[in-house]
Amino acid sequence: MGAERRREFVAGMRMGVGPGAAAFVLALSFGAEAVARGWGFGLPVVFSMFAFSGSAQFTLLTTLAGGSALAAIVSAVLINARYLVMSVALNNSLEGGRISRAIQAQALCDASFVVAHGNDGGYDIARLVGASVPQWLLWSSGTAIGALTSPTPELMHQLGLDVAFPAFFLILAIDELRRSKRAAVAALLGATIAAGLLFVTTPSYALLGAIGAALIGVLPQEEGELA
């Protein structure tokens, strides 16, 4: 790894601590809820280590409680369909052969995707990977601690921890919107789509439909326009 890549990797790690701290709080809830639903200690921890996706994990956890395993798996896959769009945007920034590119893509998560975005429209992969490291560590350890201590939702609310995760993502979104007019249009369109779909379907499908707004990113870009 060259000096420039090391600097970007370290910078990514610094930027990943904030979202990682928010993920840690959410992981406490996941670990506690998984134990309450009879998953035991080991299963939710291993699940967090390999899945590393709060949305998919919570979807699977809640859907399994009231439906079939097939319905739970389908719901988890659908809620993570946004990564298809994100991976297309990331594709041109990946380096090396197929195996190397596949390994790099494993570091893709929401917050890392945002912090790795450059003003030229590309993505710094070293920063992406660096940002994902603290998030993965804090997500996995948060699940373990939550499974061991089982904090109640009431305690999380009293401490104000239940708003930490959305607050961090709001900060990331604001920074991205300030840098890009196209991102602002996509955000507004996505919110409109989601709001409309909430009248006819569940929040999970409304979120999935809102992902379509990200297709604005594939439109031709004018010279000098920030992506």
mmCIF file of all heavy atoms in Angstrom, residues 48-84:
data_model
loop_
_atom_site.group_PDB
_atom_site.id
_atom_site.type_symbol
_atom_site.label_atom_id
_atom_site.label_comp_id
_atom_site.label_asym_id
_atom_site.label_seq_id
_atom_site.Cartn_x
_atom_site.Cartn_y
_atom_site.Cartn_z
ATOM 1 N N SER A 48 -23.785 -10.926 12.836
ATOM 2 C CA SER A 48 -23.306 -9.551 12.669
ATOM 3 C C SER A 48 -21.932 -9.509 12.011
ATOM 4 O O SER A 48 -21.650 -8.636 11.191
ATOM 5 C CB SER A 48 -23.250 -8.844 14.024
ATOM 6 O OG SER A 48 -24.532 -8.479 14.461
ATOM 7 N N MET A 49 -21.076 -10.446 12.365
ATOM 8 C CA MET A 49 -19.723 -10.469 11.807
ATOM 9 C C MET A 49 -19.724 -10.730 10.305
ATOM 10 O O MET A 49 -18.937 -10.147 9.565
ATOM 11 C CB MET A 49 -18.883 -11.525 12.527
ATOM 12 C CG MET A 49 -18.581 -11.202 13.981
ATOM 13 S SD MET A 49 -17.712 -12.544 14.829
ATOM 14 C CE MET A 49 -16.156 -12.571 13.914
ATOM 15 N N PHE A 50 -20.632 -11.603 9.852
ATOM 16 C CA PHE A 50 -20.628 -11.979 8.437
ATOM 17 C C PHE A 50 -21.614 -11.159 7.605
ATOM 18 O O PHE A 50 -21.337 -10.858 6.441
ATOM 19 C CB PHE A 50 -20.933 -13.471 8.295
ATOM 20 C CG PHE A 50 -19.774 -14.356 8.635
ATOM 21 C CD1 PHE A 50 -19.611 -14.841 9.917
ATOM 22 C CD2 PHE A 50 -18.825 -14.682 7.674
ATOM 23 C CE1 PHE A 50 -18.539 -15.650 10.241
ATOM 24 C CE2 PHE A 50 -17.736 -15.488 7.993
ATOM 25 C CZ PHE A 50 -17.588 -15.972 9.279
ATOM 26 N N ALA A 51 -22.763 -10.800 8.171
ATOM 27 C CA ALA A 51 -23.742 -10.033 7.394
ATOM 28 C C ALA A 51 -23.401 -8.549 7.387
ATOM 29 O O ALA A 51 -23.460 -7.895 6.347
ATOM 30 C CB ALA A 51 -25.140 -10.241 7.967
ATOM 31 N N PHE A 52 -23.044 -7.988 8.556
ATOM 32 C CA PHE A 52 -22.651 -6.581 8.675
ATOM 33 C C PHE A 52 -23.659 -5.674 7.983
ATOM 34 O O PHE A 52 -23.312 -4.829 7.166
ATOM 35 C CB PHE A 52 -21.249 -6.398 8.097
ATOM 36 C CG PHE A 52 -20.671 -5.021 8.283
ATOM 37 C CD1 PHE A 52 -20.952 -4.259 9.405
ATOM 38 C CD2 PHE A 52 -19.833 -4.481 7.309
ATOM 39 C CE1 PHE A 52 -20.421 -2.989 9.554
ATOM 40 C CE2 PHE A 52 -19.280 -3.211 7.459
ATOM 41 C CZ PHE A 52 -19.586 -2.472 8.584
ATOM 42 N N SER A 53 -24.936 -5.864 8.301
ATOM 43 C CA SER A 53 -25.998 -5.057 7.687
ATOM 44 C C SER A 53 -27.147 -4.936 8.667
ATOM 45 O O SER A 53 -27.936 -5.870 8.824
ATOM 46 C CB SER A 53 -26.478 -5.708 6.379
ATOM 47 O OG SER A 53 -27.605 -5.021 5.876
ATOM 48 N N GLY A 54 -27.254 -3.782 9.300
ATOM 49 C CA GLY A 54 -28.300 -3.592 10.289
ATOM 50 C C GLY A 54 -29.689 -3.736 9.699
ATOM 51 O O GLY A 54 -30.564 -4.382 10.295
ATOM 52 N N SER A 55 -29.918 -3.158 8.512
ATOM 53 C CA SER A 55 -31.245 -3.218 7.914
ATOM 54 C C SER A 55 -31.668 -4.650 7.617
ATOM 55 O O SER A 55 -32.783 -5.067 7.941
ATOM 56 C CB SER A 55 -31.277 -2.377 6.633
ATOM 57 O OG SER A 55 -30.262 -2.797 5.731
ATOM 58 N N ALA A 56 -30.763 -5.423 6.994
ATOM 59 C CA ALA A 56 -31.085 -6.812 6.666
ATOM 60 C C ALA A 56 -31.247 -7.659 7.916
ATOM 61 O O ALA A 56 -32.140 -8.509 8.002
ATOM 62 C CB ALA A 56 -29.997 -7.403 5.768
ATOM 63 N N GLN A 57 -30.401 -7.431 8.912
ATOM 64 C CA GLN A 57 -30.453 -8.242 10.127
ATOM 65 C C GLN A 57 -31.733 -7.993 10.921
ATOM 66 O O GLN A 57 -32.365 -8.933 11.403
ATOM 67 C CB GLN A 57 -29.213 -7.981 10.989
ATOM 68 C CG GLN A 57 -27.938 -8.546 10.368
ATOM 69 C CD GLN A 57 -26.705 -8.269 11.207
ATOM 70 O OE1 GLN A 57 -25.710 -7.792 10.697
ATOM 71 N NE2 GLN A 57 -26.754 -8.556 12.491
ATOM 72 N N PHE A 58 -32.110 -6.731 11.072
ATOM 73 C CA PHE A 58 -33.351 -6.430 11.787
ATOM 74 C C PHE A 58 -34.567 -6.920 10.999
ATOM 75 O O PHE A 58 -35.544 -7.392 11.590
ATOM 76 C CB PHE A 58 -33.467 -4.929 12.048
ATOM 77 C CG PHE A 58 -32.840 -4.498 13.339
ATOM 78 C CD1 PHE A 58 -31.618 -3.852 13.346
ATOM 79 C CD2 PHE A 58 -33.469 -4.743 14.553
ATOM 80 C CE1 PHE A 58 -31.028 -3.448 14.539
ATOM 81 C CE2 PHE A 58 -32.889 -4.350 15.746
ATOM 82 C CZ PHE A 58 -31.668 -3.697 15.751
ATOM 83 N N THR A 59 -34.502 -6.803 9.674
ATOM 84 C CA THR A 59 -35.607 -7.295 8.855
ATOM 85 C C THR A 59 -35.776 -8.793 9.020
ATOM 86 O O THR A 59 -36.893 -9.300 9.201
ATOM 87 C CB THR A 59 -35.362 -6.960 7.372
ATOM 88 O OG1 THR A 59 -35.279 -5.548 7.208
ATOM 89 C CG2 THR A 59 -36.476 -7.504 6.497
ATOM 90 N N LEU A 60 -34.670 -9.523 8.964
ATOM 91 C CA LEU A 60 -34.719 -10.972 9.128
ATOM 92 C C LEU A 60 -35.203 -11.341 10.526
ATOM 93 O O LEU A 60 -36.021 -12.250 10.695
ATOM 94 C CB LEU A 60 -33.328 -11.568 8.888
ATOM 95 C CG LEU A 60 -33.246 -13.094 8.780
ATOM 96 C CD1 LEU A 60 -33.991 -13.591 7.554
ATOM 97 C CD2 LEU A 60 -31.787 -13.547 8.714
ATOM 98 N N LEU A 61 -34.734 -10.624 11.530
ATOM 99 C CA LEU A 61 -35.107 -10.909 12.915
ATOM 100 C C LEU A 61 -36.605 -10.736 13.136
ATOM 101 O O LEU A 61 -37.258 -11.592 13.737
ATOM 102 C CB LEU A 61 -34.319 -9.996 13.845
ATOM 103 C CG LEU A 61 -34.555 -10.164 15.358
ATOM 104 C CD1 LEU A 61 -34.056 -11.525 15.817
ATOM 105 C CD2 LEU A 61 -33.841 -9.052 16.124
ATOM 106 N N THR A 62 -37.136 -9.628 12.640
ATOM 107 C CA THR A 62 -38.558 -9.351 12.878
ATOM 108 C C THR A 62 -39.467 -10.205 11.998
ATOM 109 O O THR A 62 -40.540 -10.633 12.436
ATOM 110 C CB THR A 62 -38.862 -7.867 12.628
ATOM 111 O OG1 THR A 62 -38.415 -7.503 11.308
ATOM 112 C CG2 THR A 62 -38.126 -6.996 13.626
ATOM 113 N N THR A 63 -39.042 -10.474 10.762
ATOM 114 C CA THR A 63 -39.878 -11.256 9.856
ATOM 115 C C THR A 63 -39.949 -12.712 10.274
ATOM 116 O O THR A 63 -40.993 -13.357 10.146
ATOM 117 C CB THR A 63 -39.356 -11.157 8.410
ATOM 118 O OG1 THR A 63 -39.173 -9.790 8.056
ATOM 119 C CG2 THR A 63 -40.337 -11.788 7.430
ATOM 120 N N LEU A 64 -38.860 -13.261 10.782
ATOM 121 C CA LEU A 64 -38.856 -14.649 11.245
ATOM 122 C C LEU A 64 -39.840 -14.866 12.385
ATOM 123 O O LEU A 64 -40.373 -15.962 12.553
ATOM 124 C CB LEU A 64 -37.448 -15.044 11.700
ATOM 125 C CG LEU A 64 -36.470 -15.506 10.625
ATOM 126 C CD1 LEU A 64 -35.095 -15.751 11.228
ATOM 127 C CD2 LEU A 64 -36.979 -16.766 9.936
ATOM 128 N N ALA A 65 -40.069 -13.806 13.165
ATOM 129 C CA ALA A 65 -40.962 -13.946 14.319
ATOM 130 C C ALA A 65 -42.412 -14.132 13.903
ATOM 131 O O ALA A 65 -43.198 -14.740 14.634
ATOM 132 C CB ALA A 65 -40.841 -12.726 15.222
ATOM 133 N N GLY A 66 -42.771 -13.633 12.722
ATOM 134 C CA GLY A 66 -44.176 -13.706 12.339
ATOM 135 C C GLY A 66 -44.428 -14.339 10.989
ATOM 136 O O GLY A 66 -45.552 -14.312 10.490
ATOM 137 N N GLY A 67 -43.398 -14.922 10.373
ATOM 138 C CA GLY A 67 -43.586 -15.506 9.049
ATOM 139 C C GLY A 67 -42.636 -16.659 8.807
ATOM 140 O O GLY A 67 -41.940 -17.126 9.712
ATOM 141 N N SER A 68 -42.600 -17.111 7.551
ATOM 142 C CA SER A 68 -41.753 -18.235 7.189
ATOM 143 C C SER A 68 -40.311 -17.790 6.981
ATOM 144 O O SER A 68 -40.021 -16.604 6.832
ATOM 145 C CB SER A 68 -42.274 -18.890 5.910
ATOM 146 O OG SER A 68 -42.142 -17.988 4.812
ATOM 147 N N ALA A 69 -39.410 -18.761 6.946
ATOM 148 C CA ALA A 69 -38.000 -18.461 6.708
ATOM 149 C C ALA A 69 -37.811 -17.868 5.317
ATOM 150 O O ALA A 69 -36.994 -16.963 5.118
ATOM 151 C CB ALA A 69 -37.157 -19.715 6.873
ATOM 152 N N LEU A 70 -38.585 -18.365 4.333
ATOM 153 C CA LEU A 70 -38.466 -17.858 2.964
ATOM 154 C C LEU A 70 -38.861 -16.388 2.898
ATOM 155 O O LEU A 70 -38.173 -15.575 2.273
ATOM 156 C CB LEU A 70 -39.350 -18.675 2.021
ATOM 157 C CG LEU A 70 -39.363 -18.219 0.553
ATOM 158 C CD1 LEU A 70 -37.964 -18.291 -0.030
ATOM 159 C CD2 LEU A 70 -40.338 -19.074 -0.259
ATOM 160 N N ALA A 71 -39.965 -16.043 3.574
ATOM 161 C CA ALA A 71 -40.408 -14.646 3.584
ATOM 162 C C ALA A 71 -39.372 -13.754 4.248
ATOM 163 O O ALA A 71 -39.131 -12.624 3.809
ATOM 164 C CB ALA A 71 -41.743 -14.530 4.314
ATOM 165 N N ALA A 72 -38.743 -14.253 5.310
ATOM 166 C CA ALA A 72 -37.730 -13.475 6.018
ATOM 167 C C ALA A 72 -36.516 -13.224 5.133
ATOM 168 O O ALA A 72 -35.978 -12.113 5.080
ATOM 169 C CB ALA A 72 -37.307 -14.215 7.291
ATOM 170 N N ILE A 73 -36.082 -14.264 4.411
ATOM 171 C CA ILE A 73 -34.913 -14.137 3.546
ATOM 172 C C ILE A 73 -35.198 -13.183 2.393
ATOM 173 O O ILE A 73 -34.373 -12.320 2.049
ATOM 174 C CB ILE A 73 -34.481 -15.519 3.017
ATOM 175 C CG1 ILE A 73 -33.962 -16.382 4.173
ATOM 176 C CG2 ILE A 73 -33.401 -15.371 1.948
ATOM 177 C CD1 ILE A 73 -33.678 -17.806 3.784
ATOM 178 N N VAL A 74 -36.367 -13.323 1.782
ATOM 179 C CA VAL A 74 -36.738 -12.437 0.669
ATOM 180 C C VAL A 74 -36.800 -10.986 1.126
ATOM 181 O O VAL A 74 -36.315 -10.077 0.437
ATOM 182 C CB VAL A 74 -38.089 -12.875 0.064
ATOM 183 C CG1 VAL A 74 -38.584 -11.830 -0.935
ATOM 184 C CG2 VAL A 74 -37.957 -14.228 -0.610
ATOM 185 N N SER A 75 -37.374 -10.764 2.301
ATOM 186 C CA SER A 75 -37.470 -9.393 2.829
ATOM 187 C C SER A 75 -36.094 -8.805 3.074
ATOM 188 O O SER A 75 -35.839 -7.634 2.765
ATOM 189 C CB SER A 75 -38.269 -9.400 4.141
ATOM 190 O OG SER A 75 -39.586 -9.841 3.933
ATOM 191 N N ALA A 76 -35.180 -9.605 3.637
ATOM 192 C CA ALA A 76 -33.825 -9.120 3.910
ATOM 193 C C ALA A 76 -33.089 -8.787 2.618
ATOM 194 O O ALA A 76 -32.349 -7.798 2.542
ATOM 195 C CB ALA A 76 -33.044 -10.168 4.708
ATOM 196 N N VAL A 77 -33.287 -9.622 1.580
ATOM 197 C CA VAL A 77 -32.642 -9.368 0.286
ATOM 198 C C VAL A 77 -33.203 -8.088 -0.343
ATOM 199 O O VAL A 77 -32.448 -7.256 -0.867
ATOM 200 C CB VAL A 77 -32.848 -10.564 -0.663
ATOM 201 C CG1 VAL A 77 -32.384 -10.212 -2.076
ATOM 202 C CG2 VAL A 77 -32.087 -11.785 -0.158
ATOM 203 N N LEU A 78 -34.499 -7.904 -0.283
ATOM 204 C CA LEU A 78 -35.123 -6.730 -0.879
ATOM 205 C C LEU A 78 -34.673 -5.447 -0.189
ATOM 206 O O LEU A 78 -34.412 -4.432 -0.847
ATOM 207 C CB LEU A 78 -36.650 -6.852 -0.814
ATOM 208 C CG LEU A 78 -37.290 -7.860 -1.773
ATOM 209 C CD1 LEU A 78 -38.781 -7.962 -1.506
ATOM 210 C CD2 LEU A 78 -37.026 -7.477 -3.221
ATOM 211 N N ILE A 79 -34.591 -5.471 1.138
ATOM 212 C CA ILE A 79 -34.221 -4.260 1.863
ATOM 213 C C ILE A 79 -32.779 -3.864 1.574
ATOM 214 O O ILE A 79 -32.392 -2.703 1.719
ATOM 215 C CB ILE A 79 -34.426 -4.448 3.389
ATOM 216 C CG1 ILE A 79 -34.549 -3.091 4.087
ATOM 217 C CG2 ILE A 79 -33.313 -5.261 3.996
ATOM 218 C CD1 ILE A 79 -35.764 -2.314 3.753
ATOM 219 N N ASN A 80 -31.954 -4.820 1.129
ATOM 220 C CA ASN A 80 -30.563 -4.513 0.796
ATOM 221 C C ASN A 80 -30.346 -4.337 -0.705
ATOM 222 O O ASN A 80 -29.197 -4.260 -1.157
ATOM 223 C CB ASN A 80 -29.631 -5.616 1.318
ATOM 224 C CG ASN A 80 -29.057 -5.284 2.674
ATOM 225 O OD1 ASN A 80 -29.491 -4.341 3.325
ATOM 226 N ND2 ASN A 80 -28.080 -6.044 3.117
ATOM 227 N N ALA A 81 -31.434 -4.272 -1.458
ATOM 228 C CA ALA A 81 -31.311 -4.125 -2.911
ATOM 229 C C ALA A 81 -30.644 -2.817 -3.305
ATOM 230 O O ALA A 81 -30.145 -2.675 -4.422
ATOM 231 C CB ALA A 81 -32.688 -4.233 -3.564
ATOM 232 N N ARG A 82 -30.622 -1.854 -2.372
ATOM 233 C CA ARG A 82 -29.981 -0.568 -2.672
ATOM 234 C C ARG A 82 -28.503 -0.740 -3.012
ATOM 235 O O ARG A 82 -27.915 0.087 -3.725
ATOM 236 C CB ARG A 82 -30.119 0.381 -1.482
ATOM 237 C CG ARG A 82 -29.351 -0.043 -0.236
ATOM 238 C CD ARG A 82 -29.724 0.830 0.946
ATOM 239 N NE ARG A 82 -28.939 0.537 2.141
ATOM 240 C CZ ARG A 82 -29.187 -0.464 2.965
ATOM 241 N NH1 ARG A 82 -30.209 -1.291 2.714
ATOM 242 N NH2 ARG A 82 -28.442 -0.668 4.031
ATOM 243 N N TYR A 83 -27.903 -1.817 -2.523
ATOM 244 C CA TYR A 83 -26.486 -2.032 -2.797
ATOM 245 C C TYR A 83 -26.226 -2.345 -4.266
ATOM 246 O O TYR A 83 -25.088 -2.201 -4.730
ATOM 247 C CB TYR A 83 -25.936 -3.154 -1.910
ATOM 248 C CG TYR A 83 -25.767 -2.726 -0.473
ATOM 249 C CD1 TYR A 83 -26.512 -3.314 0.547
ATOM 250 C CD2 TYR A 83 -24.865 -1.730 -0.132
ATOM 251 C CE1 TYR A 83 -26.359 -2.915 1.862
ATOM 252 C CE2 TYR A 83 -24.704 -1.319 1.176
ATOM 253 C CZ TYR A 83 -25.461 -1.918 2.173
ATOM 254 O OH TYR A 83 -25.318 -1.511 3.481
ATOM 255 N N LEU A 84 -27.234 -2.765 -4.992
ATOM 256 C CA LEU A 84 -27.065 -2.981 -6.427
ATOM 257 C C LEU A 84 -26.750 -1.658 -7.118
ATOM 258 O O LEU A 84 -25.841 -1.572 -7.953
ATOM 259 C CB LEU A 84 -28.334 -3.598 -7.023
ATOM 260 C CG LEU A 84 -28.663 -5.029 -6.593
ATOM 261 C CD1 LEU A 84 -30.012 -5.450 -7.166
ATOM 262 C CD2 LEU A 84 -27.567 -5.986 -7.039
#
